[in-house]
Every structure is written in C-alpha cells, then in structure tokens.
Amino acid sequence: MPRPTLTRSLRRTGALTAVAFAAAVALAGPAAAHAEVEAEGARALDQNVALTFTAESESASAGISELEVILPEGITPADITYKEGPKGWKLAPTDRGYTVSGPKLAVGEDAEYVVTVRQLPDTRALVFKTLQTYSDGQVDRWIELDEESEGDGHGHGHPAPRLELKAAAPGAKAVSPTPTEEPTAAAPSDRPATAPAGASAEAAADGTDGDDGIPVALPIGIGAAVVVLGAGAWWFRSRRGAAS
C-alpha cells in the first residue's frame, strides 16, 4: 500500500476510534449515575444505625438542592435523626418520609448525607425511593425496583437505593414504637380546693342544716303558728267569759 494511502487509512481509523470512544462515554454517563444507601454490617432489628446516602449529579447546568426520601414500611419519620450533610442543609419530616435540602450544590457535585435510624425493621432488604431535585427544577426519580431498573436494556434505569440486611442478632427484639409528644399535664395546685363562688349563696338560700336536710324556716314557721293559735284560743275564751 503506498505511503499516502496508508496515512489516510490510519487517520480514518483514528477518527473512527475517537468517535466510538466518545459515543461509549456518552452512553455510559447516564448509566453510571445512581443513588445509594450504605450501612456496613447492618442487621435486621439493629438500633441506632447510621445510614449514608449518596445521590450522584446528572445535570451539566444545575446543582442538587433537595433530596426527598420515601421511607420503607417499618420506619417512620419520627425514627429518623439527621446526623450530617452538605453545609446549610436540613432535614424536614413529611407524611411519607423526609426531605434533606439547602443551598444548591456546585454543578456536578454529588449530594451525600447521613441519618440515624432508631431501629431497622425485621426484613431482608430496605428500599428508599428518592426524588432528587436540582436548582433549575429538574427532578431525577430514583424509584425503580430491581425488576424495573433495567430501563431500556442498557442499564439506563433509575433504581431506588436498596440496603441489604443480615439476619437479626440472636435475642434481638423490636423496641416499642417511637413515642409521640403528649400534652403536658397541668401542675397540681398547692392551694386547697374551694367551692364555686355561688355555692355559699346557694347553701344559704336553701337554708338546710347539715344533718337531716330539713329547712331551718320550717320549725320557725311551726312555732309561729302555735303561738298564733294559742293567742286565738285565749282571745276566744276571753270573749265567751265576758258574754256570759
């Protein structure tokens, strides 16, 4: 093969190789991104377990600003305590899990944070569906289960973070549910109990004694009647004597 022809052939081969490599990188990029949860050596029914979550950035123009996690059965928002994460980020419970959010991260920076779970449920695996929101409103939905995460057959799915658990330790038991805040009971008063303000007036109006409940006015009325009748009888006898 003449030298010029060989040179052109090598150049053509090099160009094709570069194109193929670029295409492979472009196709591999989305497949490499993922969201994960880790807890080394975690077992079912373990208590106060630190879970580390990592969500990789897929945007070339915006930073991650929020992660919403849907908790699996057996873990409630009250069981979660925020331990650490990106600067300025905070945890807020929701009706189905929690959010961790704050100032947007730099473009391309992955989000990583740690929470503590009061107790892991007695199960073989936990799935934490995650919605990853960027500063421009874009949302990556890491919610697919294993059987759904194959996507288009090239590994382009969005599997939910999954944590495999070892069997519970011998003797491990489920603790009582996380207590909820109860209204604070009023402190007992040191002052003696007193009757209602109108009670004394009502008792006086009733005019009852403390023994048999007979009104005080009743014997007074009877006495007055006796006096009146006696006086009447005396007056009547006096009139009859005068007449005779």
Side-chain angles (χ1 to χ4, degrees), residues 55-127:
E56 295 189 0
S57 176
E58 287 191 306
S59 175
S61 59
I64 301 172
S65 58
E66 179 183 271
L67 298 172
E68 179 185 358
V69 173
I70 301 171
L71 290 171
E73 185 176 355
I75 303 178
T76 68
D79 295 324
I80 300 295
T81 302
Y82 190 55
K83 192 172 181 180
E84 60 181 319
K87 185 177 180 180
W89 281 37
K90 296 180 180 180
L91 182 145
T94 66
D95 58 353
R96 60 181 183 174
Y98 64 85
T99 61
V100 179
S101 61
K104 68 176 182 178
L105 303 182
V107 175
E109 180 180 348
D110 301 336
E112 181 175 317
Y113 69 94
V114 181
V115 296
T116 300
V117 181
R118 182 169 179 260
Q119 184 178 40
L120 299 178
D122 190 5
T123 187
R124 297 177 59 182
L126 297 170
V127 175

Side-chain angles (χ1 to χ4, degrees), residues 105-242:
L105 303 182
V107 175
E109 180 180 348
D110 301 336
E112 181 175 317
Y113 69 94
V114 181
V115 296
T116 300
V117 181
R118 182 169 179 260
Q119 184 178 40
L120 299 178
D122 190 5
T123 187
R124 297 177 59 182
L126 297 170
V127 175
F128 298 85
K129 294 183 178 182
T130 301
L131 303 180
Q132 177 175 323
T133 302
Y134 295 85
S135 55
D136 61 357
Q138 175 188 335
V139 178
D140 289 341
R141 303 170 63 85
W142 303 102
I143 61 173
E144 296 174 0
L145 304 180
D146 284 347
E147 59 271 18
E148 305 170 339
S149 61
E150 305 226 353
D152 58 9
H154 298 286
H156 295 174
H158 283 72
R162 180 184 178 89
L163 180 65
E164 301 289 340
L165 300 180
K166 297 179 180 179
K173 295 181 180 179
V175 298
S176 59
T178 302
T180 55
E181 280 191 29
E182 297 291 343
T184 303
S189 174
D190 294 333
R191 294 180 299 175
T194 57
S200 298
E202 292 174 3
D206 290 341
T208 60
D209 59 27
D211 296 328
D212 52 12
I214 300 176
V216 175
L218 182 58
I220 295 176
I222 293 174
V226 171
V227 171
V228 171
L229 289 174
W234 175 82
W235 180 80
F236 183 72
R237 285 198 299 271
S238 298
R239 289 289 305 271
R240 286 187 63 183

